[in-house]
Amino acid sequence: MNLRGKVAIVTGSSRGLGKAIAIGLSKEGASVIVAARTEVDNRELPGTIYQTAEEIKALGLDALAIRCDVTDEESVNHMVQKTLEQFGHIDVLVNNAGIAFYSPIIETPIKRWELVIKVNLVGAFLCSKAVLPHMIEQKSGSIINISSLAADERDEGTVPTGVAYAVSKAGLDRLTLGLATEVGKYNIAVNAVKPHRVVDTDGMRLWQPNADKSLWQSEDLMVKSSILLANQDGKGITGTVATDREICTWHGLIK
Ligand SMILES: NC(=O)c1ccc[n+]([C@@H]2O[C@H](COP(=O)([O-])OP(=O)(O)OC[C@H]3O[C@@H](n4cnc5c(N)ncnc54)[C@H](OP(=O)(O)O)[C@@H]3O)[C@@H](O)[C@H]2O)c1
């Protein structure tokens, strides 16, 4: 239980990868803030912030659900404020909230383009900006950005992702490097991790109903990588942009 006593915010943890990471961090002893928008279950994409928090609590672990839209600065600041009121400190931020839009540029309405960039990139900027004053004051912290191979792929990769999504994740990788450089002196680690294969989540199944799922992976390597990165500060691993498999291989988490 390496994260005992630590407080971790996981954005986009009402379902999918974020939920798996939230549960993984809580099993390591962290108190987890389950931050996303969905409060009432909907059939298309099941999962709410309260369900994730209840699942964690049912394991005898600690979680707090706080509604948060990462594109809305007020909502982000409210989530961070509530976290501090409840726990007094923030040690880990996982910028996982993300959306995709699979369309050629010529068919992408500007509203869609802006929304993808807003959730995937601006959201990570807003959440990082909101937690950093507290991490800087306590002189420790770890920020983990959940990125994608789409940031670098020039063909359609294993699944077509759309250029808006690829641009947002390329920006997230660059944000990771820039932020790591800025906040290293405050003993804060900033890293990005991306799945080396598609992770089988409800979101992915909805967006890619006809994809060949035989090569899809579970959340396992992403959870292991996130736990390792959550344990870092500015003296440890920082400024890394890598896949889950790379991180797990380099650090002996898999053979
Ligand atoms: N699955 C993969 O193979 C894969 C591969 C590469 C990268 N990723 C990245 O991994 C992350 C999670 O993907 P996933 O497959 O788990 O997707 P998912 O099942 O669709 O989950 C996305 C999460 O993001 C949240 N979210 C969306 N918009 C939000 C907003 N404005 N504010 C706060 N939360 C928001 C959703 O919660 P609410 O709807 O409740 O707000 C949900 O919890 C994303 O960043 C994605 O780009 C996934």
Side-chain angles (χ1 to χ4, degrees):
M1 297 267 268
N2 290 330
L3 295 172
R4 189 171 285 154
K6 295 205 170 178
V7 176
I9 294 170
V10 184
T11 69
S13 45
S14 54
R15 60 174 189 266
L17 203 39
K19 178 177 179 177
I21 292 170
I23 293 172
L25 297 183
S26 72
K27 285 182 175 169
E28 290 296 307
S31 298
V32 173
I33 309 306
V34 179
R37 296 164 307 167
T38 307
E39 296 182 279
V40 179
D41 216 353
N42 71 75
R43 232 180 296 156
E44 213 175 33
L45 277 172
T48 71
I49 51 173
Y50 304 115
Q51 284 170 9
T52 302
E54 283 312 313
E55 272 187 50
I56 291 172
K57 287 187 201 160
L59 298 170
L61 304 166
D62 199 17
L64 176 66
I66 306 178
R67 189 190 184 278
C68 176
D69 179 343
V70 297
T71 67
D72 175 352
E73 189 167 19
E74 224 174 272
S75 176
V76 168
N77 289 340
H78 172 258
M79 180 270 291
V80 167
Q81 197 48 44
K82 267 193 95 175
T83 303
L84 288 168
E85 278 165 26
Q86 180 85 12
F87 296 101
H89 56 110
I90 297 167
D91 304 287
V92 179
L93 166 67
V94 184
N95 284 313
N96 166 81
I99 58 168
F101 185 68
Y102 304 97
S103 243
I105 286 179
I106 200 164
E107 289 165 24
T108 303
I110 183 150
K111 273 198 164 170
R112 273 290 151 185
W113 178 274
E114 286 175 346
L115 186 63
V116 171
I117 305 287
K118 247 185 143 179
V119 176
N120 299 0
L121 180 56
V122 179
F125 157 74
L126 287 176
C127 292
S128 302
K129 191 174 174 205
V131 301
L132 273 170
H134 313 286
M135 289 184 174
I136 288 171
E137 202 185 328
Q138 74 192 8
K139 289 202 164 47
S140 69
S142 175
I143 295 177
I144 304 166
N145 294 325
I146 304 302
S147 187
S148 167
L149 286 176
D152 304 306
E153 262 165 2
R154 293 176 200 190
D155 57 19
E156 291 204 325
T158 46
V159 290
T161 57
V163 176
Y165 180 79
V167 166
S168 72
K169 294 297 184 178
L172 189 60
D173 288 356
R174 188 59 186 87
L175 173 68
T176 304
L177 301 179
L179 199 51
T181 304
E182 278 186 18
V183 301
K185 59 177 175 284
Y186 304 113
N187 194 30
I188 298 164
V190 187
N191 294 287
V193 57
K194 44 186 90 182
H196 77 288
R197 280 189 193 162
V198 175
V199 178
D200 192 349
T201 61
D202 284 329
M204 202 38 105
R205 278 180 179 261
L206 184 74
W207 296 325
Q208 299 288 340
N210 303 318
D212 172 9
K213 301 181 181 64
S214 62
L215 289 179
W216 289 17
Q217 63 167 341
S218 78
E219 301 99 341
D220 185 49
L221 294 189
M222 285 298 288
V223 173
K224 282 193 169 85
S225 307
S226 300
I227 291 169
L228 180 95
L229 295 177
N231 271 299
Q232 306 304 312
D233 59 23
K235 296 188 286 293
I237 303 164
T238 188
T240 297
V241 174
T243 69
D244 53 357
R245 189 172 56 183
E246 286 167 338
I247 289 173
C248 289
T249 306
W250 296 339
H251 300 286
L253 303 177
I254 51 168
K255 287 189 182 154

